[in-house]
mmCIF file of all heavy atoms in Angstrom:
data_model
loop_
_atom_site.group_PDB
_atom_site.id
_atom_site.type_symbol
_atom_site.label_atom_id
_atom_site.label_comp_id
_atom_site.label_asym_id
_atom_site.label_seq_id
_atom_site.Cartn_x
_atom_site.Cartn_y
_atom_site.Cartn_z
ATOM 1 N N LEU A 27 150.775 101.997 134.100
ATOM 2 C CA LEU A 27 151.533 102.751 133.064
ATOM 3 C C LEU A 27 152.041 104.042 133.612
ATOM 4 O O LEU A 27 153.150 104.527 133.345
ATOM 5 C CB LEU A 27 150.724 102.879 131.800
ATOM 6 C CG LEU A 27 150.338 101.669 131.121
ATOM 7 C CD1 LEU A 27 149.494 101.971 129.886
ATOM 8 C CD2 LEU A 27 151.521 100.850 130.589
ATOM 9 N N ILE A 28 151.064 104.683 134.367
ATOM 10 C CA ILE A 28 151.424 106.105 134.840
ATOM 11 C C ILE A 28 152.515 105.922 135.935
ATOM 12 O O ILE A 28 153.434 106.736 135.989
ATOM 13 C CB ILE A 28 150.163 106.755 135.425
ATOM 14 C CG1 ILE A 28 149.232 107.113 134.351
ATOM 15 C CG2 ILE A 28 150.489 107.908 136.297
ATOM 16 C CD1 ILE A 28 147.882 107.508 134.736
ATOM 17 N N THR A 29 152.466 104.873 136.776
ATOM 18 C CA THR A 29 153.500 104.715 137.790
ATOM 19 C C THR A 29 154.788 104.491 137.196
ATOM 20 O O THR A 29 155.871 105.082 137.575
ATOM 21 C CB THR A 29 153.118 103.498 138.719
ATOM 22 O OG1 THR A 29 151.865 103.670 139.361
ATOM 23 C CG2 THR A 29 154.197 103.273 139.709
ATOM 24 N N ARG A 30 154.912 103.676 136.092
ATOM 25 C CA ARG A 30 156.165 103.416 135.451
ATOM 26 C C ARG A 30 156.679 104.690 134.839
ATOM 27 O O ARG A 30 157.884 105.005 134.911
ATOM 28 C CB ARG A 30 155.938 102.314 134.354
ATOM 29 C CG ARG A 30 157.225 101.790 133.710
ATOM 30 C CD ARG A 30 156.912 100.847 132.677
ATOM 31 N NE ARG A 30 156.397 99.579 133.187
ATOM 32 C CZ ARG A 30 155.485 98.833 132.627
ATOM 33 N NH1 ARG A 30 155.149 99.174 131.277
ATOM 34 N NH2 ARG A 30 155.127 97.650 133.151
ATOM 35 N N GLY A 31 155.813 105.439 134.135
ATOM 36 C CA GLY A 31 156.228 106.702 133.524
ATOM 37 C C GLY A 31 156.734 107.713 134.536
ATOM 38 O O GLY A 31 157.697 108.415 134.281
ATOM 39 N N ALA A 32 155.922 107.836 135.657
ATOM 40 C CA ALA A 32 156.311 108.857 136.641
ATOM 41 C C ALA A 32 157.660 108.600 137.252
ATOM 42 O O ALA A 32 158.532 109.389 137.503
ATOM 43 C CB ALA A 32 155.252 108.825 137.802
ATOM 44 N N LEU A 33 157.993 107.258 137.559
ATOM 45 C CA LEU A 33 159.189 106.939 138.256
ATOM 46 C C LEU A 33 160.377 106.986 137.291
ATOM 47 O O LEU A 33 161.508 107.295 137.595
ATOM 48 C CB LEU A 33 159.121 105.571 138.943
ATOM 49 C CG LEU A 33 158.183 105.552 140.133
ATOM 50 C CD1 LEU A 33 158.201 104.070 140.747
ATOM 51 C CD2 LEU A 33 158.568 106.551 141.087
ATOM 52 N N THR A 34 160.026 106.706 135.982
ATOM 53 C CA THR A 34 161.083 106.909 134.948
ATOM 54 C C THR A 34 161.476 108.331 134.813
ATOM 55 O O THR A 34 162.657 108.679 134.738
ATOM 56 C CB THR A 34 160.609 106.430 133.634
ATOM 57 O OG1 THR A 34 160.307 104.943 133.723
ATOM 58 C CG2 THR A 34 161.677 106.540 132.578
ATOM 59 N N THR A 35 160.465 109.295 134.852
ATOM 60 C CA THR A 35 160.750 110.703 134.787
ATOM 61 C C THR A 35 161.518 111.120 135.944
ATOM 62 O O THR A 35 162.522 111.829 135.811
ATOM 63 C CB THR A 35 159.419 111.470 134.733
ATOM 64 O OG1 THR A 35 158.597 111.032 133.646
ATOM 65 C CG2 THR A 35 159.682 112.902 134.679
ATOM 66 N N PHE A 36 161.171 110.641 137.130
ATOM 67 C CA PHE A 36 161.900 111.043 138.319
ATOM 68 C C PHE A 36 163.314 110.480 138.326
ATOM 69 O O PHE A 36 164.328 111.175 138.646
ATOM 70 C CB PHE A 36 161.217 110.433 139.576
ATOM 71 C CG PHE A 36 161.839 110.797 140.920
ATOM 72 C CD1 PHE A 36 161.382 112.005 141.544
ATOM 73 C CD2 PHE A 36 162.893 110.065 141.439
ATOM 74 C CE1 PHE A 36 161.956 112.372 142.773
ATOM 75 C CE2 PHE A 36 163.424 110.465 142.674
ATOM 76 C CZ PHE A 36 163.018 111.648 143.384
ATOM 77 N N SER A 37 163.527 109.277 137.858
ATOM 78 C CA SER A 37 164.914 108.656 137.878
ATOM 79 C C SER A 37 165.811 109.459 136.941
ATOM 80 O O SER A 37 166.986 109.665 137.246
ATOM 81 C CB SER A 37 164.787 107.170 137.303
ATOM 82 O OG SER A 37 166.070 106.675 137.253
ATOM 83 N N VAL A 38 165.293 109.840 135.664
ATOM 84 C CA VAL A 38 166.158 110.577 134.778
ATOM 85 C C VAL A 38 166.426 112.012 135.272
ATOM 86 O O VAL A 38 167.505 112.493 135.225
ATOM 87 C CB VAL A 38 165.460 110.664 133.372
ATOM 88 C CG1 VAL A 38 166.314 111.503 132.400
ATOM 89 C CG2 VAL A 38 165.348 109.194 132.794
ATOM 90 N N ALA A 39 165.415 112.627 135.896
ATOM 91 C CA ALA A 39 165.550 113.957 136.342
ATOM 92 C C ALA A 39 166.522 114.116 137.544
ATOM 93 O O ALA A 39 167.290 115.109 137.682
ATOM 94 C CB ALA A 39 164.210 114.544 136.760
ATOM 95 N N ASN A 40 166.570 113.106 138.391
ATOM 96 C CA ASN A 40 167.354 113.230 139.627
ATOM 97 C C ASN A 40 168.842 113.013 139.385
ATOM 98 O O ASN A 40 169.667 113.251 140.289
ATOM 99 C CB ASN A 40 166.881 112.346 140.720
ATOM 100 C CG ASN A 40 167.229 110.922 140.657
ATOM 101 O OD1 ASN A 40 168.275 110.576 140.070
ATOM 102 N ND2 ASN A 40 166.436 110.066 141.141
ATOM 103 N N ASP A 41 169.235 112.702 138.151
ATOM 104 C CA ASP A 41 170.661 112.691 137.806
ATOM 105 C C ASP A 41 171.360 114.025 137.713
ATOM 106 O O ASP A 41 172.533 114.124 137.869
ATOM 107 C CB ASP A 41 170.819 111.934 136.497
ATOM 108 C CG ASP A 41 170.596 110.435 136.554
ATOM 109 O OD1 ASP A 41 170.717 109.919 137.719
ATOM 110 O OD2 ASP A 41 170.352 109.784 135.548
ATOM 111 N N LEU A 42 170.489 115.122 137.581
ATOM 112 C CA LEU A 42 171.004 116.424 137.357
ATOM 113 C C LEU A 42 171.916 116.849 138.551
ATOM 114 O O LEU A 42 173.031 117.406 138.421
ATOM 115 C CB LEU A 42 169.932 117.393 137.017
ATOM 116 C CG LEU A 42 170.329 118.873 136.863
ATOM 117 C CD1 LEU A 42 171.324 118.972 135.607
ATOM 118 C CD2 LEU A 42 169.146 119.721 136.653
ATOM 119 N N ALA A 43 171.281 116.637 139.746
ATOM 120 C CA ALA A 43 171.965 117.078 140.915
ATOM 121 C C ALA A 43 173.352 116.356 141.154
ATOM 122 O O ALA A 43 174.272 116.860 141.721
ATOM 123 C CB ALA A 43 171.155 116.870 142.202
ATOM 124 N N LYS A 44 173.454 115.071 140.640
ATOM 125 C CA LYS A 44 174.653 114.357 140.821
ATOM 126 C C LYS A 44 175.797 114.929 139.978
ATOM 127 O O LYS A 44 176.952 114.761 140.319
ATOM 128 C CB LYS A 44 174.371 112.888 140.461
ATOM 129 C CG LYS A 44 173.307 112.265 141.469
ATOM 130 C CD LYS A 44 172.816 110.944 140.890
ATOM 131 C CE LYS A 44 171.564 110.509 141.611
ATOM 132 N NZ LYS A 44 170.949 109.251 141.030
ATOM 133 N N TYR A 45 175.411 115.505 138.833
ATOM 134 C CA TYR A 45 176.400 116.248 138.083
ATOM 135 C C TYR A 45 177.142 117.289 138.954
ATOM 136 O O TYR A 45 178.296 117.499 138.887
ATOM 137 C CB TYR A 45 175.863 116.833 136.837
ATOM 138 C CG TYR A 45 175.581 115.891 135.728
ATOM 139 C CD1 TYR A 45 174.323 115.419 135.481
ATOM 140 C CD2 TYR A 45 176.588 115.394 134.870
ATOM 141 C CE1 TYR A 45 173.964 114.499 134.545
ATOM 142 C CE2 TYR A 45 176.270 114.525 133.825
ATOM 143 C CZ TYR A 45 174.937 114.055 133.696
ATOM 144 O OH TYR A 45 174.745 113.206 132.637
ATOM 145 N N PHE A 46 176.176 118.054 139.584
ATOM 146 C CA PHE A 46 176.658 119.198 140.436
ATOM 147 C C PHE A 46 177.450 118.770 141.590
ATOM 148 O O PHE A 46 178.080 119.553 142.209
ATOM 149 C CB PHE A 46 175.511 120.091 140.827
ATOM 150 C CG PHE A 46 174.910 120.936 139.746
ATOM 151 C CD1 PHE A 46 173.967 120.500 138.859
ATOM 152 C CD2 PHE A 46 175.415 122.189 139.546
ATOM 153 C CE1 PHE A 46 173.440 121.183 137.889
ATOM 154 C CE2 PHE A 46 174.896 123.085 138.484
ATOM 155 C CZ PHE A 46 173.960 122.544 137.664
ATOM 156 N N ALA A 47 177.284 117.426 141.977
ATOM 157 C CA ALA A 47 178.004 116.862 143.143
ATOM 158 C C ALA A 47 179.318 116.349 142.726
ATOM 159 O O ALA A 47 180.404 116.611 143.347
ATOM 160 C CB ALA A 47 177.217 115.888 143.885
ATOM 161 N N ILE A 48 179.313 115.381 141.706
ATOM 162 C CA ILE A 48 180.555 114.632 141.435
ATOM 163 C C ILE A 48 181.554 115.328 140.508
ATOM 164 O O ILE A 48 182.738 115.304 140.679
ATOM 165 C CB ILE A 48 180.108 113.271 140.926
ATOM 166 C CG1 ILE A 48 179.372 112.519 141.948
ATOM 167 C CG2 ILE A 48 181.352 112.527 140.395
ATOM 168 C CD1 ILE A 48 178.988 111.078 141.561
ATOM 169 N N LEU A 49 180.955 115.995 139.457
ATOM 170 C CA LEU A 49 181.930 116.709 138.486
ATOM 171 C C LEU A 49 182.849 117.730 139.082
ATOM 172 O O LEU A 49 184.029 117.682 138.823
ATOM 173 C CB LEU A 49 181.156 117.258 137.345
ATOM 174 C CG LEU A 49 180.486 116.195 136.372
ATOM 175 C CD1 LEU A 49 179.774 116.878 135.300
ATOM 176 C CD2 LEU A 49 181.511 115.246 135.834
ATOM 177 N N PRO A 50 182.312 118.539 139.928
ATOM 178 C CA PRO A 50 183.220 119.502 140.605
ATOM 179 C C PRO A 50 184.205 118.830 141.519
ATOM 180 O O PRO A 50 185.384 119.228 141.647
ATOM 181 C CB PRO A 50 182.266 120.478 141.519
ATOM 182 C CG PRO A 50 180.925 120.368 140.872
ATOM 183 C CD PRO A 50 180.871 118.933 140.276
ATOM 184 N N ALA A 51 183.831 117.708 142.189
ATOM 185 C CA ALA A 51 184.653 116.923 143.102
ATOM 186 C C ALA A 51 185.857 116.314 142.187
ATOM 187 O O ALA A 51 187.025 116.260 142.710
ATOM 188 C CB ALA A 51 183.900 115.871 143.765
ATOM 189 N N MET A 52 185.527 115.913 141.008
ATOM 190 C CA MET A 52 186.547 115.271 140.153
ATOM 191 C C MET A 52 187.537 116.265 139.550
ATOM 192 O O MET A 52 188.723 115.982 139.418
ATOM 193 C CB MET A 52 185.793 114.473 139.053
ATOM 194 C CG MET A 52 185.069 113.275 139.590
ATOM 195 S SD MET A 52 184.141 112.502 138.238
ATOM 196 C CE MET A 52 185.501 111.918 137.134
ATOM 197 N N PHE A 53 187.046 117.418 139.107
ATOM 198 C CA PHE A 53 187.869 118.331 138.280
ATOM 199 C C PHE A 53 188.103 119.733 138.840
ATOM 200 O O PHE A 53 188.799 120.461 138.204
ATOM 201 C CB PHE A 53 187.174 118.410 136.837
ATOM 202 C CG PHE A 53 187.120 117.123 136.124
ATOM 203 C CD1 PHE A 53 185.949 116.419 135.968
ATOM 204 C CD2 PHE A 53 188.380 116.526 135.630
ATOM 205 C CE1 PHE A 53 185.907 115.259 135.269
ATOM 206 C CE2 PHE A 53 188.302 115.353 134.901
ATOM 207 C CZ PHE A 53 187.108 114.727 134.732
ATOM 208 N N ALA A 54 187.557 120.020 139.970
ATOM 209 C CA ALA A 54 187.791 121.423 140.514
ATOM 210 C C ALA A 54 189.206 121.676 140.815
ATOM 211 O O ALA A 54 189.664 122.890 140.668
ATOM 212 C CB ALA A 54 186.914 121.591 141.785
ATOM 213 N N ALA A 55 190.012 120.648 141.149
ATOM 214 C CA ALA A 55 191.399 120.848 141.421
ATOM 215 C C ALA A 55 192.101 121.262 140.171
ATOM 216 O O ALA A 55 193.156 121.946 140.191
ATOM 217 C CB ALA A 55 192.056 119.653 142.089
ATOM 218 N N ILE A 56 191.680 120.672 139.005
ATOM 219 C CA ILE A 56 192.316 120.882 137.715
ATOM 220 C C ILE A 56 191.851 122.225 137.157
ATOM 221 O O ILE A 56 192.609 123.128 136.652
ATOM 222 C CB ILE A 56 192.108 119.787 136.747
ATOM 223 C CG1 ILE A 56 192.569 118.487 137.421
ATOM 224 C CG2 ILE A 56 192.863 120.035 135.476
ATOM 225 C CD1 ILE A 56 192.179 117.233 136.598
ATOM 226 N N TYR A 57 190.539 122.403 137.181
ATOM 227 C CA TYR A 57 189.805 123.564 136.671
ATOM 228 C C TYR A 57 189.048 124.206 137.734
ATOM 229 O O TYR A 57 187.945 123.880 138.003
ATOM 230 C CB TYR A 57 188.910 123.156 135.519
ATOM 231 C CG TYR A 57 189.614 122.552 134.290
ATOM 232 C CD1 TYR A 57 189.481 121.169 134.067
ATOM 233 C CD2 TYR A 57 190.391 123.324 133.401
ATOM 234 C CE1 TYR A 57 190.151 120.512 133.008
ATOM 235 C CE2 TYR A 57 191.055 122.727 132.380
ATOM 236 C CZ TYR A 57 190.921 121.368 132.115
ATOM 237 O OH TYR A 57 191.583 120.728 131.101
ATOM 238 N N PRO A 58 189.677 125.216 138.484
ATOM 239 C CA PRO A 58 189.013 125.792 139.527
ATOM 240 C C PRO A 58 187.709 126.441 139.233
ATOM 241 O O PRO A 58 186.828 126.624 140.055
ATOM 242 C CB PRO A 58 189.958 126.905 140.019
ATOM 243 C CG PRO A 58 191.292 126.352 139.551
ATOM 244 C CD PRO A 58 191.111 125.605 138.273
ATOM 245 N N GLN A 59 187.541 126.774 137.918
ATOM 246 C CA GLN A 59 186.244 127.324 137.442
ATOM 247 C C GLN A 59 185.061 126.468 137.818
ATOM 248 O O GLN A 59 183.899 126.910 137.925
ATOM 249 C CB GLN A 59 186.324 127.747 135.999
ATOM 250 C CG GLN A 59 187.347 128.693 135.644
ATOM 251 C CD GLN A 59 188.620 127.988 135.204
ATOM 252 O OE1 GLN A 59 188.954 126.890 135.773
ATOM 253 N NE2 GLN A 59 189.394 128.553 134.307
ATOM 254 N N LEU A 60 185.318 125.143 137.802
ATOM 255 C CA LEU A 60 184.253 124.142 137.963
ATOM 256 C C LEU A 60 183.759 124.251 139.418
ATOM 257 O O LEU A 60 182.757 123.601 139.815
ATOM 258 C CB LEU A 60 184.738 122.743 137.660
ATOM 259 C CG LEU A 60 184.973 122.457 136.202
ATOM 260 C CD1 LEU A 60 185.428 121.030 136.036
ATOM 261 C CD2 LEU A 60 183.685 122.605 135.389
ATOM 262 N N GLY A 61 184.509 124.832 140.315
ATOM 263 C CA GLY A 61 184.097 124.999 141.705
ATOM 264 C C GLY A 61 182.724 125.721 141.822
ATOM 265 O O GLY A 61 181.958 125.528 142.801
ATOM 266 N N GLY A 62 182.490 126.482 140.785
ATOM 267 C CA GLY A 62 181.120 127.179 140.789
ATOM 268 C C GLY A 62 179.954 126.348 140.627
ATOM 269 O O GLY A 62 178.819 126.716 140.937
ATOM 270 N N LEU A 63 180.240 125.157 140.178
ATOM 271 C CA LEU A 63 179.097 124.162 140.032
ATOM 272 C C LEU A 63 178.699 123.477 141.387
ATOM 273 O O LEU A 63 177.633 122.933 141.463
ATOM 274 C CB LEU A 63 179.528 123.020 139.018
ATOM 275 C CG LEU A 63 179.657 123.417 137.631
ATOM 276 C CD1 LEU A 63 180.120 122.181 136.748
ATOM 277 C CD2 LEU A 63 178.393 123.972 137.031
ATOM 278 N N ASN A 64 179.528 123.703 142.390
ATOM 279 C CA ASN A 64 179.267 123.195 143.674
ATOM 280 C C ASN A 64 178.233 123.982 144.402
ATOM 281 O O ASN A 64 178.483 124.632 145.477
ATOM 282 C CB ASN A 64 180.520 123.040 144.486
ATOM 283 C CG ASN A 64 180.299 122.341 145.818
ATOM 284 O OD1 ASN A 64 179.350 121.668 146.081
ATOM 285 N ND2 ASN A 64 181.309 122.431 146.742
ATOM 286 N N VAL A 65 177.075 124.096 143.886
ATOM 287 C CA VAL A 65 176.007 124.996 144.398
ATOM 288 C C VAL A 65 175.531 124.493 145.822
ATOM 289 O O VAL A 65 174.913 125.273 146.492
ATOM 290 C CB VAL A 65 174.833 125.085 143.383
ATOM 291 C CG1 VAL A 65 175.268 125.726 142.115
ATOM 292 C CG2 VAL A 65 174.187 123.730 143.109
ATOM 293 N N MET A 66 175.684 123.175 146.064
ATOM 294 C CA MET A 66 175.306 122.710 147.309
ATOM 295 C C MET A 66 176.264 122.856 148.422
ATOM 296 O O MET A 66 176.023 122.519 149.563
ATOM 297 C CB MET A 66 174.955 121.143 147.219
ATOM 298 C CG MET A 66 173.720 120.838 146.366
ATOM 299 S SD MET A 66 173.468 119.144 145.965
ATOM 300 C CE MET A 66 174.638 118.764 144.619
ATOM 301 N N ARG A 67 177.463 123.462 148.031
ATOM 302 C CA ARG A 67 178.535 123.652 148.978
ATOM 303 C C ARG A 67 178.921 122.423 149.804
ATOM 304 O O ARG A 67 178.975 122.460 151.045
ATOM 305 C CB ARG A 67 178.164 124.928 149.940
ATOM 306 C CG ARG A 67 177.987 126.147 149.217
ATOM 307 C CD ARG A 67 179.296 126.684 148.656
ATOM 308 N NE ARG A 67 179.192 127.889 147.977
ATOM 309 C CZ ARG A 67 179.121 128.039 146.586
ATOM 310 N NH1 ARG A 67 179.177 126.966 145.831
ATOM 311 N NH2 ARG A 67 179.035 129.263 146.069
ATOM 312 N N LEU A 68 179.094 121.326 149.001
ATOM 313 C CA LEU A 68 179.482 120.122 149.687
ATOM 314 C C LEU A 68 180.918 120.269 150.268
ATOM 315 O O LEU A 68 181.787 120.892 149.630
ATOM 316 C CB LEU A 68 179.416 119.009 148.652
ATOM 317 C CG LEU A 68 178.046 118.869 148.016
ATOM 318 C CD1 LEU A 68 178.064 117.686 146.965
ATOM 319 C CD2 LEU A 68 176.967 118.674 149.068
ATOM 320 N N ALA A 69 181.214 119.608 151.331
ATOM 321 C CA ALA A 69 182.445 119.872 152.169
ATOM 322 C C ALA A 69 183.708 119.594 151.461
ATOM 323 O O ALA A 69 184.583 120.454 151.263
ATOM 324 C CB ALA A 69 182.321 119.117 153.509
ATOM 325 N N THR A 70 183.889 118.332 150.984
ATOM 326 C CA THR A 70 185.147 117.927 150.273
ATOM 327 C C THR A 70 184.776 117.103 149.093
ATOM 328 O O THR A 70 183.595 116.569 148.951
ATOM 329 C CB THR A 70 185.922 117.068 151.205
ATOM 330 O OG1 THR A 70 185.198 115.874 151.580
ATOM 331 C CG2 THR A 70 186.200 117.849 152.535
ATOM 332 N N PRO A 71 185.686 116.855 148.177
ATOM 333 C CA PRO A 71 185.407 115.951 147.077
ATOM 334 C C PRO A 71 184.929 114.514 147.516
ATOM 335 O O PRO A 71 184.137 113.929 146.900
ATOM 336 C CB PRO A 71 186.845 115.864 146.341
ATOM 337 C CG PRO A 71 187.412 117.221 146.689
ATOM 338 C CD PRO A 71 187.043 117.496 148.062
ATOM 339 N N GLU A 72 185.652 114.046 148.631
ATOM 340 C CA GLU A 72 185.247 112.756 149.060
ATOM 341 C C GLU A 72 183.745 112.714 149.622
ATOM 342 O O GLU A 72 182.941 111.739 149.375
ATOM 343 C CB GLU A 72 186.187 112.284 150.173
ATOM 344 C CG GLU A 72 187.586 111.923 149.736
ATOM 345 C CD GLU A 72 188.455 113.109 149.490
ATOM 346 O OE1 GLU A 72 188.014 114.242 149.886
ATOM 347 O OE2 GLU A 72 189.514 113.010 148.934
#
């Protein structure tokens, strides 16, 4: 039970970083303000 709960917690939590990766890549060209979400300083949208 603890293993299932721990990995579920990890799975849900690790989605946060993906927001900071994909959403700026999708909309930074339209809304430059979203470029501030690129805290990881990823090279290009692709």
Side-chain angles (χ1 to χ4, degrees):
L27 296 179
I28 290 169
T29 301
R30 188 184 295 152
L33 292 183
T34 300
T35 302
F36 185 91
S37 178
V38 174
N40 77 30
D41 286 341
L42 182 62
K44 299 167 192 174
Y45 284 101
F46 285 86
I48 295 183
L49 290 181
M52 292 175 62
F53 296 108
I56 307 171
Y57 299 104
Q59 301 91 329
L60 291 177
L63 294 178
N64 186 15
V65 296
M66 290 174 279
R67 295 295 180 258
L68 305 180
T70 65
E72 288 79 10

